């Protein structure tokens, strides 16, 4: 086989470079997924949706990372070895990924209200499976983690907890010298550093007593997260929309370049 030169060789090098980037993305996804699964303290946030597909998000990330790893390796080998069959297989797989992403985004946009209702309806029932701030079951860990990380309380707001199994089983407790019945878990209280929960321990509230209304007005938003977790998640997505969109566009760009370059190489090799 004649050695590729000029534009053909440039296409080969670029295809290899783009797939090396894909390769790195796959490794990162694998590492993140494995860390979530094997870490001593797992943030089972997705588990509270109580959906087997969604709650297995960490395993999906691992599978996706491994898939990207293999596809990138295939693209690199196809370009390096100048193998037309490998390039065609690579093109078909990447095209399939691109189409799936496009369809997925279109469905989410078109059925936004349905998705909103699904998430809300999945969140509410799992509140009744919550045990306590110190329990290690997936629902308790999930809700505790979600409320601390997103600085929220309940699905719609902090009053949701009063109507749950947890709320119905609360007894009078001494808080700041007053006998009170806790109306929400302590993880609804504001903390200094929300990321501390990643280490496996719950951050200390800024003021536990004032969080429950002792010595101040109730509810006091300086010490209690009164907004619901669903709205907080939407706010988080909106505030990070630029980054999320940037990552999506970056991946789409890599995929399109991979498609174009692999076909360019295929046709060049076919003419030789």
């Amino acid at each position: 086989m004649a050695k590729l030169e000029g534009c053909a060789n440039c296409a080969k090098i670029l295809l290899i470079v783009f797939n090396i980037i894909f390769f790195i993305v796959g490794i990162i996804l694998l590492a993140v997924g494995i860390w979530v699964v094997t870490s001593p303290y797992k943030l089972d946030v997705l588990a509270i949706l109580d959906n087997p597909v969604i709650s297995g998000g960490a395993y999906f990330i691992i599978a996706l990372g491994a898939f990207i790893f293999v596809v990138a390796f295939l693209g690199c080998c196809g370009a390096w070895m100048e193998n037309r069959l490998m390039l065609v297989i690579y093109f078909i797989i990447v095209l399939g990924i691109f189409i799936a992403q496009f369809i997925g985004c279109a469905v989410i946009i078109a059925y936004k209200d349905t998705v909103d209702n699904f998430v809300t309806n999945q969140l509410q029932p799992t509140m009744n499976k919550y045990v306590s701030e110190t329990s290690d079951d997936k629902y308790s860990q999930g809700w505790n983690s979600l409320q601390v990380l997103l600085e929220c309380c309940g699905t719609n707001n902090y009053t949701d907890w009063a109507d749950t199994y947890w709320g119905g089983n609360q007894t009078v407790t001494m808080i700041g010298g007053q006998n009170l019945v806790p109306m929400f878990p302590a993880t609804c209280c504001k903390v200094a550093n929300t990321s501390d929960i990643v280490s496996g321990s719950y951050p200390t509230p800024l003021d536990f007593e004032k969080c429950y209304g002792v010595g101040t007005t109730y509810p006091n938003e300086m010490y209690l997260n009164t907004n619901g977790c669903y709205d907080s998640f939407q706010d988080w997505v909106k505030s990070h929309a630029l980054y999320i969109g940037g990552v999506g566009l970056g991946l789409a760009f890599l995929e399109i370049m991979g498609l174009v370059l692999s076909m360019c190489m295929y046709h060049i090799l076919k003419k030789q």
Side-chain angles (χ1 to χ4, degrees):
M1 181 179 295
K3 183 179 179 180
L4 295 179
E5 297 179 349
C7 292
N9 190 52
C10 181
K12 173 181 176 178
I13 294 172
L14 284 174
L15 184 57
I16 292 174
V17 170
F18 279 120
N19 278 287
I20 288 175
I21 298 174
F22 258 135
F23 192 79
I24 294 172
V25 171
I27 292 176
I28 292 173
L29 289 174
L30 271 172
V32 170
I34 292 172
W35 174 77
V36 172
V37 171
T38 60
S39 61
Y41 179 78
K42 291 180 287 187
L43 300 178
D44 292 320
V45 173
L46 293 177
I48 62 176
L49 288 174
D50 211 18
N51 183 286
V53 176
I54 297 175
S55 61
Y59 297 99
F60 173 76
I61 292 174
I62 292 175
L64 180 60
F67 182 68
I68 291 176
F69 183 92
V70 172
V71 172
F73 183 76
L74 178 65
C76 283
C77 287
W80 183 261
M81 298 171 62
E82 300 175 11
N83 186 299
R84 285 191 295 162
L85 178 59
M86 294 179 74
L87 289 172
V88 169
I89 295 174
Y90 170 80
F91 178 88
I92 293 172
I93 294 175
V94 174
L95 180 62
I97 295 173
F98 183 79
I99 292 173
Q101 285 177 312
F102 181 81
I103 293 174
C105 290
V107 169
I108 290 174
I109 293 172
Y111 294 93
K112 181 182 180 300
D113 292 339
T114 303
V115 173
D116 289 349
N117 291 332
F118 167 77
V119 174
T120 303
N121 292 335
Q122 290 287 315
L123 277 175
Q124 197 75 37
T126 59
M127 292 180 67
N128 281 314
K129 299 178 181 179
Y130 179 86
V131 179
S132 70
E133 296 90 340
T134 57
S135 179
D136 60 359
D137 67 285
K138 67 178 184 179
Y139 298 108
S140 297
Q141 283 193 350
W143 269 107
N144 289 329
S145 301
L146 187 69
Q147 292 186 148
V148 171
L149 289 172
L150 293 184
E151 299 181 280
C152 57
C153 189
T155 300
N156 299 302
N157 57 57
Y158 72 101
T159 63
D160 290 346
W161 286 106
D163 298 324
T164 64
Y165 177 81
W166 175 89
N169 282 277
Q170 294 304 296
T171 56
V172 176
T173 303
M174 181 70 72
I175 301 177
Q178 294 186 22
N179 291 321
L180 299 173
V181 177
M183 301 301 289
F184 48 81
T187 49
C188 285
C189 298
K190 288 187 180 293
V191 298
N193 188 359
T194 59
S195 62
D196 284 347
I197 196 171
V198 177
S199 65
S201 58
Y202 293 118
T204 303
L206 290 176
D207 193 315
F208 182 77
E209 295 176 0
K210 289 183 178 178
C211 176
Y212 284 93
V214 178
T216 185
T217 56
Y218 178 82
N220 191 325
E221 295 187 3
M222 289 182 62
Y223 306 100
L224 169 65
N225 296 310
T226 58
N227 54 310
C229 291
Y230 180 65
D231 287 340
S232 292
F233 177 71
Q234 284 191 317
D235 292 339
W236 183 89
V237 171
K238 290 176 182 176
S239 65
H240 291 78
L242 184 62
Y243 303 105
I244 296 171
V247 171
L249 289 174
L251 286 174
F253 174 74
L254 289 174
E255 290 164 357
I256 292 172
M257 290 304 297
L259 291 170
V260 172
L261 292 170
S262 61
M263 278 299 94
C264 285
M265 273 204 68
Y266 174 84
H267 287 295
I268 292 170
L269 293 171
K270 187 177 181 181
K271 292 177 181 179
Q272 289 186 346

